[in-house]
Amino acid sequence: AAVWEAFDGLSQWPVESEDEKVCTVSWSDPHQGLASHIERYQNSPVMHPDVPEEWKPALFMSGIRVPFPLPTKKIKAPKVRTKKTEAKIVEEAAALAAPTMIYQ
């Protein structure tokens, strides 16, 4: 509850920006809880070796990043996109802020 209250509506960021982004906190849907998120991403193409580490979900224990559980099956390579589609995806991702982080 304290994290929700601290971040929901936050608009004063420690870095300068022309945009006035406001943080919105919401429940994750349809995945809720650590086990559900691990199951969702463990065998996802985002976990493929070709995907940069900074784009992958992060798992933390006591504030320290720990290895994500290994896949249980062969991971398919991510689909290749055109430059135009890729630029749009990067733009949308930037608007959403940061990669998924799972805390325990």
Side-chain angles (χ1 to χ4, degrees):
V3 171
W4 191 298
E5 290 175 15
F7 285 95
D8 195 38
L10 181 68
S11 61
Q12 295 180 346
W13 302 100
V15 294
E16 289 187 35
S17 174
E18 293 179 15
D19 298 333
E20 294 198 20
K21 303 275 184 189
V22 177
C23 182
T24 302
V25 179
S26 63
W27 289 107
S28 177
D29 183 37
H31 304 286
Q32 193 61 238
L34 179 62
S36 178
H37 279 87
I38 288 174
E39 184 179 334
R40 162 69 180 93
Y41 290 104
Q42 189 173 17
N43 294 309
S44 168
V46 76
M47 301 306 285
H48 191 272
D50 290 348
V51 175
E53 283 299 314
E54 59 268 19
W55 294 6
K56 296 180 181 183
L59 182 61
F60 295 86
M61 189 171 292
S62 299
I64 299 170
R65 188 169 182 169
V66 296
F68 207 84
L70 294 173
T72 58
K73 56 187 177 183
K74 186 176 178 180
I75 302 293
K76 294 180 181 178
K79 295 178 182 175
V80 177
R81 298 189 168 116
T82 65
K83 293 278 185 191
K84 187 175 182 179
T85 305
E86 186 174 308
K88 184 175 181 182
I89 291 168
V90 169
E91 182 180 298
E92 289 173 357
L96 292 174
T100 302
M101 290 188 182
I102 303 170
Y103 294 91
Q104 181 175 7

